[in-house]
Amino acid sequence: MKETKIVLPDKEIPKQWYNIMADMPNLPKPPLHPGTLKPVGPQDLSAIFPMALIEQEVSTQRWIDIPDEVLDIYSLWRPSPLYRAHRLEKALGTPAKIYYKYEGVSPAGSHKPNTSIPQAYYNKKAGIKRIATETGAGQWGSAMALSGSLFGLEVTVYMVKVSYNQKPYRRIAMETWGATVHASPTSVTNSGRKILEADPENPGSLGIAISEAVEDAATHNDTNYALGSVLNHVLLHQTVIGLEAKKQFELAGDYPDVIIGCCGGGSNLGGVSFPFLHDKINGKDLRVIAVEPISCPTLTRGQFRYDFGDTAGLTPLLMMYTLGHDFVPPGIHAGGLRYHADAPLICQLYHDKLIEAVAYGQTAVFEAAITFAKSEGIIPAPETSHAIKAVIDEAVRCKDEGRQRTIFFNLSGHGYLDLTAYADYHSGKLEDYAYPDERIKESLARLPVIG
Ligand SMILES: *Cc1c(COP(=O)(O)O)cnc(C)c1O
């Protein structure tokens, strides 16, 4: 019998995360304080993060222990299975071998609890009572709500208003796990009120919701902020995916030639690829590809420079490929991955040519998702489907060139709470929209000039 799932026993859950900062040829430039434009110190961050996470943010130690309490909760769904996509290979008629790691098995349905669990743990240990955070479509909010309930923390979620109104199911999931969910922009924070005064119909954005959550955390002593992507410690926690995959590839007697992940902020891509990039940095022949939408083309068309993490300019400036922090994604875009920039770690590695990037329009992405669902069964998240489009293109290229390559991608989450986007695709409502150059230029012209 052909092997379809490569599974590991619970005791094989990695006991340490891998920190790529120990091995990168160039470290990212330091975050800058939004007021002084000087590098931020630990004290600047301690108003909104616990010290354990601040230490991880700047650590260059290669291996970092995963606390037992975190391992205990990871074991609810980890190790996640590695699948060989025999049926997709057959449907494409490709000589390529296709593997995927399935992160949809977590209680929240995506990879995000890999970091929300440790973040909740470290905050609880530091005596924090409440977490304020933002969410777009609701995956991060769900992961944080779940983690809050498991560690006895209150969770307040600022959810982008369009999603709050159009996507009730994740909001209901968050409320089921005990979180309080607000439609952002709200009148609860100064940054929300300012935006509503100027534009009462503002549909919200991830950047605005981040401003609200950061303000909430900074103005309450018992409250911290938590971010679901972008920061170094988030990508660190996600390496549990790639570390498991390495063991699974060893069991399968195989090793990837190409690793593909969708890229919004970069956490699932970093998580799946960093343990393998360790080998690439040490001479292994291997490609890593980030896949993004043409409507939010951060790596492929953004500029590598300092920008804020949020719309209001409350967060430190990070060195990123950015479209400008006041970037507002087009309303017709259904595929997620709408953040205006990417993780500094991903950006530095892309800048140093250790990672490549491609961008696709959403109709091609949904078409790929349907090819996948019809052969492998799982209906993938629209975000994940960007990676699947790139996988299919790579597999077809192998067929055209008559080459057998091993392609590996991260199936970052399932799409069962995103079926409205599929309905829009089925009824022909989705259009491809390449973000206009002039808009990118305008937005970048408003950035502070540094150095
Ligand atoms: C949040 C999310 C993403 C995008 O975030 P990254 O930080 O780029 O990983 C991708 N896929 C799923 C399923 C998500 O929930």
Side-chain angles (χ1 to χ4, degrees):
M1 209 184 123
K2 289 191 297 198
E3 209 163 42
T4 299
K5 291 191 302 306
I6 298 108
V7 291
L8 296 169
D10 286 11
K11 66 175 186 337
E12 292 291 332
I13 298 173
K15 304 293 179 291
Q16 293 174 312
W17 293 297
Y18 168 62
N19 181 8
I20 197 162
M21 288 206 280
D23 295 305
M24 289 170 76
N26 298 297
L27 287 175
K29 288 194 188 168
L32 304 181
H33 190 282
T36 64
L37 304 184
K38 296 260 164 15
V40 293
Q43 332 69 259
D44 298 318
L45 299 172
S46 65
I48 57 169
F49 292 117
M51 204 40 80
L53 291 176
I54 296 171
E55 279 164 13
Q56 290 180 1
E57 193 61 23
V58 298
S59 171
T60 52
Q61 187 183 309
R62 184 170 291 115
W63 295 102
I64 294 182
D65 287 343
I66 306 178
D68 286 342
E69 293 86 342
V70 171
L71 289 171
D72 202 45
I73 293 178
Y74 273 178
S75 74
L76 288 173
W77 73 95
R78 306 213 69 85
S80 67
L82 178 73
Y83 280 80
R84 172 83 186 270
H86 290 296
R87 286 169 187 78
L88 178 63
E89 292 168 16
K90 201 162 159 223
L92 299 173
T94 178
K97 293 190 268 181
I98 302 174
Y99 292 87
Y100 58 94
K101 189 84 165 140
Y102 186 38
E103 292 296 309
V105 293
S106 84
S110 76
H111 64 291
K112 291 197 169 71
N114 296 331
T115 183
S116 61
I117 294 293
Q119 289 192 49
Y121 166 78
Y122 291 119
N123 275 293
K124 179 75 182 182
K125 227 179 122 188
I128 289 298
K129 298 278 184 290
R130 186 170 68 97
I131 297 289
T133 195
E134 76 289 334
T135 200
Q139 289 105 327
W140 172 243
S142 309
M144 203 63 240
L146 163 78
S147 307
S149 79
L150 291 170
F151 283 105
L153 286 168
E154 280 176 56
V155 176
T156 303
V157 182
Y158 295 85
M159 184 172 189
V160 177
K161 194 182 276 166
V162 266
S163 300
Y164 183 95
N165 293 325
Q166 289 171 7
K167 301 177 181 175
Y169 292 112
R170 284 209 181 84
R171 170 170 62 77
I172 298 165
M174 290 184 253
E175 289 167 351
T176 302
W177 281 310
T180 303
V181 187
H182 298 296
S184 162
T186 70
S187 50
V188 184
T189 65
N190 283 328
S191 31
R193 277 192 293 271
K194 228 184 243 167
I195 284 161
L196 287 178
E197 269 162 34
D199 173 13
E201 302 305 313
N202 191 300
S205 72
L206 219 41
I208 295 171
I210 294 175
S211 303
E212 293 207 86
V214 168
E215 183 186 322
D216 182 341
T219 52
H220 294 93
N221 262 340
D222 63 349
T223 303
N224 267 348
Y225 171 68
L227 192 59
S229 187
V230 179
L231 298 181
N232 301 344
H233 67 266
V234 176
L235 277 64
L236 171 78
H237 300 155
Q238 292 294 355
T239 60
V240 68
I241 306 171
L243 292 166
E244 283 177 10
K246 270 189 137 175
K247 295 189 191 187
Q248 288 162 311
F249 270 104
E250 218 171 281
L251 281 179
D254 215 336
Y255 190 92
D257 298 303
V258 188
I259 300 179
I260 297 175
C262 65
C263 188
S267 73
N268 90 89
L269 175 71
V272 74
S273 67
F274 285 178
F276 292 93
L277 276 175
H278 171 264
D279 298 350
K280 183 177 168 86
I281 291 165
N282 289 299
K284 189 103 183 168
D285 191 14
L286 161 77
R287 295 172 61 206
V288 174
I289 306 174
V291 191
E292 58 186 23
I294 58 169
S295 57
C296 184
T298 49
L299 290 171
T300 50
R301 287 172 58 213
Q303 267 183 27
F304 193 39
R305 58 187 289 176
Y306 272 109
D307 194 3
F308 299 103
D310 68 326
T311 302
L314 297 175
T315 71
L317 291 124
L318 301 174
M319 189 68 185
M320 307 184 282
Y321 280 85
T322 180
L323 301 173
H325 62 288
D326 57 6
F327 166 83
V328 179
I332 53 149
H333 177 68
L337 311 176
R338 294 156 175 250
Y339 189 59
H340 67 272
D342 299 286
L345 287 174
I346 295 286
C347 293
Q348 187 65 50
L349 291 162
Y350 177 68
H351 191 69
D352 290 336
K353 303 203 161 31
L354 285 158
I355 293 179
E356 306 163 37
V358 289
Y360 291 108
Q362 60 181 347
T363 52
V365 163
F366 276 90
E367 196 183 321
I370 286 164
T371 302
F372 184 84
K374 284 181 169 173
S375 52
E376 292 292 313
I378 296 166
I379 298 178
E383 291 87 348
T384 309
S385 305
H386 289 77
I388 296 175
K389 169 62 181 157
V391 168
I392 291 177
D393 278 8
E394 187 65 30
V396 169
R397 210 168 299 129
C398 288
K399 178 173 153 181
D400 294 345
E401 294 170 5
R403 294 180 64 158
Q404 198 204 48
R405 290 197 190 92
T406 298
I407 304 169
F408 170 42
F409 77 97
N410 193 35
L411 208 169
S412 52
H414 66 63
Y416 298 108
L417 296 175
D418 305 290
L419 293 176
T420 310
Y422 279 87
D424 289 347
Y425 174 75
H426 294 316
S427 61
K429 274 193 210 154
L430 297 189
E431 291 162 35
D432 291 326
Y433 175 86
Y435 201 72
D437 268 331
E438 314 80 73
R439 298 279 297 278
I440 298 177
K441 272 201 207 112
E442 280 164 28
S443 195
L444 292 175
R446 289 190 286 270
L447 293 190
V449 177
I450 287 153

